[in-house]
Amino acid sequence: MQAAVWKSFLARVPPEYRGSLMAMTAAGMEINIQAILREEEDFLVVRGRLAGTTDTIRVLFLPFEGLDHMGFYKEMSPAQVTAILDGKPVVAPPPEGAAAPAPEPIAAVTLVPEPPPPEVPNSRPRVRLPSKSEIIERLRLRGAVKPEEPKTS
C-alpha cells in the first residue's frame, strides 16, 4: 500500500484511538502502537512495542512501504469503526461499570437442532493392555532359572 493511502487512513483515526492501533509489517512483525510521534513523507515514528513481548516501550521507525496492514488491538464496536471510516465523530464507549445501552431487539429465530452424526463403528478391535501386576509376574517368570533339559544324542 502506498504512503498516501496510509496517511489518509491515519488522518481519519482520532488521536484518542491512535494508542490502540496495531501495525503488521511485511516481514511479519506485529507492533502495538502506543502513540504516533511523527508522520514523515515515507515513514512513521511511533512509540510502541513488539506484540507478544514484555519489552519496554521503544521508539520505532515504520516505513509506509513496509506496512502490510493495520488494525485496532483493543475492542472496538462496529459503530465506532464505521464512524472512523466515515469521518464522523466517534461515539465514546460507555465508562467501565456503567450500564450499556439496551441493544436493539432482534427478530425471533427458531433454531432447529441438528441430527446427531451417524455412529461409525470402530474399525479395529480394542486391545486389552496387561495390568501392572501381570507385567511384574511376566518379568519374574522371565528371570526365573529353568532347569536344563538333558541332551539327547
Side-chain angles (χ1 to χ4, degrees):
M1 192 175 287
Q2 297 177 357
V5 178
W6 284 122
K7 286 181 180 184
S8 170
F9 167 73
L10 291 171
R12 293 178 175 187
V13 178
E16 62 269 16
Y17 286 95
R18 289 184 174 202
S20 60
L21 281 173
M22 173 273 308
M24 179 68 76
T25 67
M29 296 179 69
E30 184 177 335
I31 298 164
N32 291 337
I33 298 172
Q34 185 181 31
I36 297 175
L37 302 176
R38 194 168 176 164
E39 278 185 48
E40 292 292 328
E41 185 66 30
D42 296 324
F43 61 92
L44 280 176
V45 181
V46 300
R47 186 168 183 231
R49 65 177 176 82
L50 299 178
T53 66
T54 55
D55 281 349
T56 57
I57 303 295
R58 301 170 186 257
V59 174
L60 303 164
F61 300 87
L62 302 176
F64 287 118
E65 296 299 324
L67 291 178
D68 184 59
H69 63 272
M70 293 182 93
F72 295 99
Y73 66 88
K74 292 183 181 175
E75 187 175 344
M76 300 276 296
S77 72
Q80 290 171 314
V81 175
T82 302
I84 287 171
L85 295 177
D86 291 343
K88 296 178 182 173
V90 179
V91 177
E96 289 191 33
E104 294 181 21
I106 299 175
V109 176
T110 305
L111 298 177
V112 178
E114 292 184 25
E119 290 189 28
V120 179
N122 194 352
S123 59
R124 297 185 301 177
R126 291 189 177 246
V127 176
R128 183 186 153 300
L129 296 175
S131 68
K132 181 179 175 181
S133 59
E134 290 173 330
I135 293 172
I136 292 172
E137 185 61 31
R138 286 184 191 174
L139 290 173
R140 281 189 192 135
L141 291 175
R142 226 187 255 175
V145 179
K146 294 182 183 177
E148 290 187 25
E149 293 181 14
K151 294 184 182 180
T152 56
S153 16

